Amino acid sequence: MRTLPPAFQRLFSLLLILMSWGADARAADYRITPTPAWVTPITTASRAVVPVGQISSGAYFLLGDFQTRSGPEGRTVFRHLAAQALNDKGVDAIANIELLFEPSHQTLHLHMLAVIRDGQRIDKLRRATIRVLQREKELEYRIYDGRKSAHIFLDDIRTGDIVEYAYSVLGSNPVFGTREFGSQSLQWAVPMERLHVRLLLPADRDMRIAVRNSARQPLVRMIGSHREYVWDESPLAPLALELDAPGWFDPYPALEWSEFADWNAVARWAVPLYRPPAQLGPSLRAKVLSIEQGARSQADKVLAALRLVQGDVRYLGVEIGTGSFVPSPPDRVYDQRFGDCKDKTLLLLSLLHHMGIDAQAALVNTVLTRGISDTSPNPAAFNHVLAHVKIGGRSYWLDPTRAPQPGSLEVVHQPDFGRALLVSDATRELLPMQRDPAPALKRRIDAQFDARNGFDQPARLTVTTTSEGREAEEARNLLATTSPDALQKQYLNYYARYYAGLRVAQAMAISDDTGHNRITVSEYYEIPDFWPLAEDGSRREASFYSPEVMDLLRLPSSTVRHSPVALAPPLDVTLVTEVLLPESWPIKAETTRIDDAHFTLERRIGGDDRRLILTDHFRSHVDHVKMDAIPSYVANLERARNALGYRLFHHMNLPPATLAERFNWMIALLAAMLTGALVWLAVRLYRYDPPPGNFTPIPALTGLRGWLLLPALNLFLLPFRLVSDFLPSINVYAVPTWIRLTHPGGAGYDPLWAPALLFELVATLTLGTLALLTLVLFLKRRSSTPRVFIALSIGIVISQSINQALVMALPLTGDVADTLRNPAELIQSVLFLAVWGTYFLRSQRVKSTFTRTWRPRPPEPLPATAPLEATQAQPAG
């Protein structure tokens, strides 16, 4: 809501001070009387152990005694409280007492005021300083309600003192007649030693009693002609809600009572208040005639009447006594040119009624919103009034207290306060206001960074924000109530948090498309040091943020909570960041999407040769996060926040680095460790001794001759070929190039460069070591040679296949891309494996040649034969 001009506020403040002096001089706004006889006396207890860990205000409430009595003589609310100061902060809290009442229909009675110190009771009632002041805490919202507050100032209050006081407020607003309703909280946000609630209601009245958010019920008994309800609990733990809890979420236990049987009874109570007069005064009759003559449809009539009330009647509420619920006559409101929500709504309804348009008042609660459904039916449940209009079978919710709303009836923002009570005899229940599905509030931001002038020149930033619907109306109101210079300063400070040295290049421009209820604000800035140097001076860096989207991804105040997390109404926000670069830049297209039950964020990265485009699209789905869903919601928020932001690096043209500066010790250490491991494996493999096989060598085919000379030549040349292929790219592993390719934001960065380069290094060392081992085994005609040779050939095919896949995925262009993306070498290796693999498996020359083992094998035993009979010459005999 808009506030009063400073001069008007000062005038009102002076008036209130003068009124408060007069009230205090008469001392007629309160009386000092004994405690009413109907009150049940409750004593203050002192707890042996104070729950220090639960106390945040420095004061501990020892007693909260709330007793209400209703009857033919009227309503009386008795309150008896006692609190102890635990520290200096607590002294300030209990030494100043404020008692509220409405003098138009209530009187304040003071019964008791005492300080208890070290067990001694000190009466302070007649010695305390009491000032009765006009309260008017809503004056800044242009509401004058006539309420007063009795301020009691106690002197000589010390840590450890207990302040105890009791008072009564007599009377109720006559606008409700004799019907009784009310509520009393049964738990506070602070701990309490004892809570006592007592309700006395006439037994012959049809009263609805309900206890909300608690299974515990009050004790009930009859006392004469009244029915007594008592709730007594000790001690009472606190229930504190987080600041970002939804307004409709009210977990506090409460005792409620009401003589209004249902919402129909409340609606029928309000019908006479919002019934348009049968006749209008001359001024309004002339307005009705003018609107009817200029309008071409009922929608045009509604818009004309709405803008008349919004524009010609300023918002100011004088809500004293029955005026807090009863609207003023439409003619008076129009003649005086001011009114509150009730007055302006009845004025609008009267105009529409006399033009034959169906419209009713709609009572809502702007804080509780849909939570009003959980309260007992009563007129005080509402704090705002709207107009509900039906045209062609469609409903429109119109708020005459808003600033004049341009555009057609379809694009005019319609409020959504969850549930509304239509003021009609036919009303039975609260009516949902939300459309299904609810339209999202749209906003688009285009941020262009023009850095084409060079890395050492300022960049120009142009931010264009386009808002529709409610967002457009809020922006329009802000522009109407804030000076252009002040607004420009606000916008500048907003972006200066992200871009150091930001300054205004030219005044912002505003384009207002009232026909579509759309407004566009363009801002123009300059960033002097857009590409700041890194600390080591080796590169310039430019960072890009998404502040408007980051604001929508704020983390909850806490994750361990007693309440859900309130979210904004459905939003659809698109932020497009365009960066015009000073030179060609490889931009890799990427898309990141985070889907949560509560929101969706999609970031797309794209662009062309000298342009980077970041597109962030945020859409919310619901207006709150349930407590059991908070952990997953926070996790997705973190993912979404991490997905935003972008950084570019430009490496400087520095003098040629020395060998020590270029040498990549990390890669060298990795290569050395890998080489050592490969040598160890080669030694183990060298000792590998498979049996030659069940084949009798053929002497004519034994030896490194014939077709074996071709694979022998290939094995001899393979290490040299591997080295020659690797050497041209060895500079890629130098520190400057390695950083440029593998660090995010580098001029040639791609996430695949690091794995591709590391794979090439590992593959070269592995295949080279295996090739040398195979050559040695080949020359030694070892029995393991065929198997190792085939393994080497398979390794070459696998290595080249992976290398081709990585090369195809890398952002390569030109001749380099054509050379590296040539599959001819892979095809040759596959054919080589097929031909020579088969040869080494089946060739008799191979089987006859590679028969030697690392360890000499024992000679095979001779074949078993029949033993020869020993013969010995015998003498002739």
Side-chain angles (χ1 to χ4, degrees):
M1 295 183 180
R2 291 175 292 180
T3 59
L4 286 171
F8 198 13
Q9 292 188 32
R10 288 193 294 270
L11 178 61
F12 253 107
S13 299
L14 179 59
L15 177 62
L16 296 180
I17 292 173
L18 293 175
M19 294 172 65
S20 67
W21 283 351
D24 184 58
R26 294 192 305 271
D29 290 303
Y30 67 90
R31 302 174 187 174
I32 297 177
T33 64
T35 300
W38 62 268
V39 170
T40 298
I42 301 297
T43 58
T44 302
S46 179
R47 191 173 186 180
V49 179
V50 176
V52 178
Q54 300 177 350
I55 296 174
S56 58
S57 62
Y60 179 45
F61 282 87
L62 300 173
L63 176 65
D65 178 19
F66 306 92
Q67 303 188 39
T68 302
R69 185 178 189 272
S70 178
E73 69 282 1
R75 182 181 186 184
T76 302
V77 177
F78 170 82
R79 295 184 177 96
H80 176 197
L81 297 103
Q84 183 177 22
L86 303 180
N87 51 37
D88 293 343
K89 186 178 179 181
V91 169
D92 291 337
I94 70 172
N96 301 293
I97 302 171
E98 182 183 26
L99 311 178
L100 305 178
F101 65 102
E102 296 190 30
S104 64
H105 55 267
Q106 291 180 332
T107 57
L108 175 65
H109 290 203
L110 305 180
H111 308 309
M112 179 251 293
L113 177 61
V115 174
I116 303 171
R117 179 180 300 155
D118 299 327
Q120 300 297 316
R121 190 179 189 86
I122 307 170
D123 186 10
K124 291 278 189 176
L125 182 57
R126 299 189 181 276
R127 290 186 293 168
T129 302
I130 303 176
R131 294 285 185 268
V132 178
L133 305 175
Q134 291 291 142
R135 184 170 179 260
E136 302 308 342
K137 289 189 176 181
E138 296 191 63
L139 181 61
E140 62 177 311
Y141 301 119
R142 292 180 289 183
I143 297 177
Y144 177 73
D145 59 18
R147 293 186 182 183
K148 292 186 178 181
S149 58
H151 291 263
I152 303 176
F153 306 98
L154 297 174
D155 56 4
D156 189 24
I157 301 299
R158 310 171 190 177
T159 299
D161 286 355
I162 298 173
V163 172
E164 183 179 4
Y165 60 96
Y167 68 98
S168 295
V169 177
L170 284 68
S172 59
N173 199 319
V175 73
F176 305 121
T178 61
R179 280 173 287 192
E180 175 69 26
F181 63 88
S183 67
Q184 176 59 55
S185 177
L186 300 176
Q187 190 172 13
W188 289 9
V190 296
M192 184 176 293
E193 178 62 26
R194 183 180 183 185
L195 174 66
H196 177 261
V197 175
R198 180 170 177 252
L199 180 62
L200 283 174
L201 298 174
D204 59 350
R205 304 274 281 274
D206 186 12
M207 197 79 62
R208 294 183 54 180
I209 306 293
V211 177
R212 190 158 49 91
N213 297 325
S214 176
R216 181 176 175 182
Q217 298 297 313
L219 300 176
V220 183
R221 65 171 182 167
M222 291 295 298
I223 299 182
S225 61
H226 285 73
R227 183 175 286 109
E228 179 190 59
Y229 301 85
V230 175
W231 179 297
D232 200 346
E233 187 167 347
S234 178
L236 198 63
L239 178 57
L241 297 185
E242 295 75 17
L243 294 178
D244 52 358
W248 51 261
F249 181 74
D250 182 10
Y252 289 96
L255 178 63
E256 298 180 338
W257 62 95
S258 177
E259 278 190 276
F260 289 88
D262 49 29
W263 291 114
N264 173 258
V266 179
R268 287 187 286 106
W269 165 84
V271 165
L273 306 181
Y274 291 94
R275 181 177 293 123
Q279 297 293 329
L280 297 178
S283 298
L284 288 182
R285 285 203 306 270
K287 287 297 181 183
V288 168
L289 181 60
S290 174
I291 292 173
E292 290 184 318
Q293 289 176 344
R296 293 176 295 179
S297 65
Q298 283 192 318
D300 289 343
K301 294 177 183 179
V302 171
L303 284 174
L306 177 65
R307 290 166 185 160
L308 171 69
V309 178
Q310 289 177 334
D312 289 5
V313 180
R314 73 182 188 276
Y315 185 88
L316 177 63
V318 181
E319 302 180 351
I320 301 176
T322 58
S324 55
F325 291 91
V326 179
S328 301
D331 288 304
R332 184 198 302 171
V333 172
Y334 188 72
D335 289 341
Q336 66 191 14
R337 291 298 199 276
F338 71 79
D340 59 12
C341 61
K342 304 182 302 297
D343 304 331
K344 299 186 71 164
T345 295
L346 180 56
L347 174 58
L348 176 59
L349 296 177
S350 300
L351 294 171
L352 297 177
H353 174 76
H354 284 273
M355 289 187 286
I357 296 175
D358 182 17
Q360 298 89 27
L363 307 179
V364 298
N365 190 304
T366 60
V367 177
L368 288 178
T369 60
R370 64 174 179 266
I372 197 173
S373 299
D374 300 326
T375 64
S376 296
N378 71 89
F382 308 97
N383 67 352
H384 192 48
V385 189
L386 307 170
H388 177 258
V389 181
K390 294 194 71 173
I391 299 178
R394 180 173 177 182
S395 295
Y396 298 91
W397 303 93
L398 306 177
D399 190 344
T401 65
R402 294 182 67 86
Q405 296 176 280
S408 67
L409 197 56
E410 299 301 322
V411 300
V412 161
H413 167 67
Q414 298 180 45
D416 177 14
F417 297 117
R419 298 289 186 273
L421 180 72
L422 289 187
V423 179
S424 168
D425 290 329
T427 294
R428 293 293 178 266
E429 299 291 342
L430 298 173
L431 184 66
M433 297 181 64
Q434 180 176 319
R435 298 182 191 175
D436 190 19
L441 304 177
K442 292 187 177 181
R443 185 165 74 248
R444 178 186 171 98
I445 306 101
D446 291 275
Q448 184 191 73
F449 295 83
D450 190 347
R452 289 176 293 183
N453 288 339
F455 296 101
D456 58 348
Q457 297 297 316
R460 295 187 298 274
L461 169 61
T462 302
V463 181
T464 304
T465 304
T466 303
S467 304
E468 300 179 12
R470 191 197 74 173
E471 295 286 290
E473 294 175 12
E474 296 293 343
R476 202 174 285 115
N477 292 341
L478 181 62
L479 292 168
T481 57
T482 309
S483 69
D485 289 345
L487 194 59
Q488 179 73 82
K489 186 176 181 180
Q490 290 179 22
Y491 290 166
L492 173 66
N493 289 331
Y494 179 79
Y495 289 106
R497 295 181 299 168
Y498 300 93
Y499 304 103
L502 186 75
R503 60 196 180 207
V504 176
Q506 68 182 71
M508 63 183 183
I510 300 167
S511 174
D512 196 351
D513 181 358
T514 56
H516 295 89
N517 199 13
R518 182 185 301 127
I519 190 168
T520 301
V521 179
S522 299
E523 307 163 57
Y524 306 93
Y525 303 103
E526 189 175 72
I527 308 174
D529 192 14
F530 183 64
W531 298 89
L533 278 171
E535 292 184 0
D536 59 0
S538 63
R539 65 185 183 187
R540 291 186 179 273
E541 304 175 357
S543 300
F544 307 95
Y545 306 94
S546 303
E548 295 86 355
V549 179
M550 286 291 283
D551 287 346
L552 302 174
L553 297 171
R554 291 177 181 171
L555 296 172
S557 59
S558 61
T559 54
V560 180
R561 345 173 17 103
H562 299 94
S563 65
V565 178
L567 302 178
L571 287 172
D572 190 322
V573 177
T574 302
L575 169 60
V576 179
T577 303
E578 180 186 28
V579 186
L580 305 180
L581 298 165
E583 63 180 32
S584 296
W585 216 289
I587 303 298
K588 181 175 176 60
E590 294 181 32
T591 299
T592 303
R593 183 182 176 94
I594 292 92
D595 284 302
D596 186 84
H598 310 88
F599 72 91
T600 297
L601 174 70
E602 183 177 80
R603 155 157 283 207
R604 297 195 304 273
I605 301 174
D608 47 34
D609 189 38
R610 301 182 64 177
R611 187 176 62 156
L612 167 68
I613 299 179
L614 308 174
T615 304
D616 300 317
H617 183 205
F618 172 89
R619 183 177 177 89
S620 60
H621 307 312
V622 293
D623 63 358
H624 73 284
V625 184
K626 295 180 180 179
M627 285 183 282
D628 58 354
I630 290 176
S632 62
Y633 169 71
V634 170
N636 285 327
L637 275 184
E638 294 284 10
R639 290 179 55 211
R641 293 170 64 88
N642 292 335
L644 299 178
Y646 199 83
R647 182 175 295 180
L648 293 176
F649 299 105
H650 172 72
H651 292 270
M652 306 294 292
N653 293 323
L654 300 175
T658 64
L659 178 61
E661 293 173 332
R662 291 173 52 82
F663 192 76
N664 195 329
W665 290 100
M666 185 65 68
I667 298 298
L669 178 61
L670 175 64
M673 294 174 61
L674 178 61
T675 301
L678 291 172
V679 170
W680 179 81
L681 289 173
V683 172
R684 296 291 301 269
L685 191 57
Y686 178 78
R687 299 173 180 175
Y688 174 51
D689 258 351
N694 189 17
F695 178 81
T696 303
I698 302 174
L701 298 179
T702 301
L704 302 177
R705 294 174 295 171
W707 289 108
L708 280 179
L709 292 177
L710 293 179
L713 179 62
N714 181 75
L715 284 175
F716 181 78
L717 296 177
L718 180 58
F720 297 98
R721 190 167 70 248
L722 290 173
V723 172
S724 64
D725 289 343
F726 182 74
L727 282 177
S729 62
I730 196 169
N731 288 331
V732 175
Y733 297 91
V735 171
T737 309
W738 177 264
I739 292 176
R740 186 168 66 251
L741 295 178
T742 62
H743 283 216
Y749 169 74
D750 189 278
L752 285 178
W753 270 122
L757 294 176
L758 290 175
F759 177 78
E760 183 178 4
L761 175 64
V762 172
T764 300
L765 291 175
T766 303
L767 293 177
T769 304
L770 187 58
L772 291 174
L773 173 65
T774 307
L775 180 62
V776 172
L777 295 175
F778 193 95
L779 296 175
K780 288 182 173 290
R781 297 164 56 182
R782 291 278 299 278
S783 62
S784 60
T785 301
R787 302 183 186 186
V788 176
F789 181 87
I790 293 174
L792 173 63
S793 301
I794 293 174
I796 292 174
V797 171
I798 294 175
S799 172
Q800 291 178 348
S801 299
I802 296 176
N803 187 65
Q804 276 296 308
L806 291 171
V807 167
M808 295 297 292
L810 286 169
L812 300 174
T813 57
D815 295 338
V816 175
D818 295 337
T819 301
L820 295 179
R821 292 173 179 171
N822 186 358
E825 189 174 355
L826 174 59
I827 296 174
Q828 292 175 4
S829 298
V830 172
L831 294 176
F832 182 90
L833 172 62
V835 172
W836 290 107
T838 304
Y839 177 78
F840 267 78
L841 288 174
R842 298 181 176 274
S843 171
Q844 292 183 346
R845 181 178 293 278
V846 170
K847 295 177 181 179
S848 300
T849 301
F850 299 106
T851 59
R852 299 176 182 175
T853 58
W854 180 58
R855 287 190 178 91
R857 294 184 178 272
E860 295 183 2
L862 294 176
T865 59
L868 297 177
E869 293 186 2
T871 59
Q872 184 175 3
Q874 297 292 333

